[in-house]
Amino acid sequence: QVHLVESGGGSVQEGGSLRLKCEVSKAYSVHVGSMGWFRQPPGKEREGVAAIDFDRSTTYADSVKGRFTISKDTDKNTLTLEMNSLKPEDTAMYYCAASHGVRGTSFSPDFYSFWGQGTQVSVSS
């Protein structure tokens, strides 16, 4: 069974940094499928933040380009999101997602079959 567990969220001031990690169960290899990070601000819909394909090609939402970096560690079977220069509008619940062996990058939630429970990020001004 595939399990994704996020960690690393917290409360920071504007301009600060956080590093989110998604630990993936052995039933899924981060090497073969595409994965992504999504977020859901309070009262808003879930939105794609960053995605990474099996070949490590990446896609970012315009709002986070130059500030966030997505990466994966195939040895540890983890997905990471480095977040720098955080802004109050980055406040949201952040979710890790994995596709069912599908390749490519997408910000459509329907593209992904597996989801974690989320980790909260709060940025104060």
Side-chain angles (χ1 to χ4, degrees), residues 37 39 47-51 59-68 107:
W37 285 97
R39 66 187 182 188
E47 61 183 11
V49 174
T59 301
Y60 295 94
D62 288 343
S63 59
V64 307
K65 279 181 182 177
R67 301 189 297 121
F68 290 11
F107 287 151

Side-chain angles (χ1 to χ4, degrees), residues 16-38:
S17 299
L18 284 172
R19 187 172 187 263
L20 305 185
K21 184 169 70 173
C22 175
E23 296 186 74
V24 185
S25 60
K26 292 182 179 179
Y28 186 95
S29 172
V30 301
H31 174 68
V32 298
S34 56
M35 300 187 70
W37 285 97
F38 284 72

Side-chain angles (χ1 to χ4, degrees), residues 46 57 77 120:
R46 192 171 297 191
S57 59
N77 214 39
Q120 179 67 40

Side-chain angles (χ1 to χ4, degrees), residues 2-6 21-25 28-38 48-60 70-74 76-81 95-108 111-116:
V2 179
H3 293 288
L4 284 67
V5 180
E6 302 94 337
K21 184 169 70 173
C22 175
E23 296 186 74
V24 185
S25 60
Y28 186 95
S29 172
V30 301
H31 174 68
V32 298
S34 56
M35 300 187 70
W37 285 97
F38 284 72
V49 174
I52 186 167
D53 203 354
F54 76 101
D55 61 357
R56 301 183 188 274
S57 59
T58 58
T59 301
Y60 295 94
I70 187 172
S71 62
K72 58 182 178 179
D73 187 324
T74 53
K76 296 180 179 179
N77 214 39
T78 58
L79 182 73
T80 298
L81 184 68
Y95 298 91
C96 169
S99 68
H100 196 138
V102 178
R103 294 179 174 180
T105 56
S106 173
F107 287 151
S108 170
F111 185 81
Y112 300 91
S113 299
F114 309 107
W115 293 84

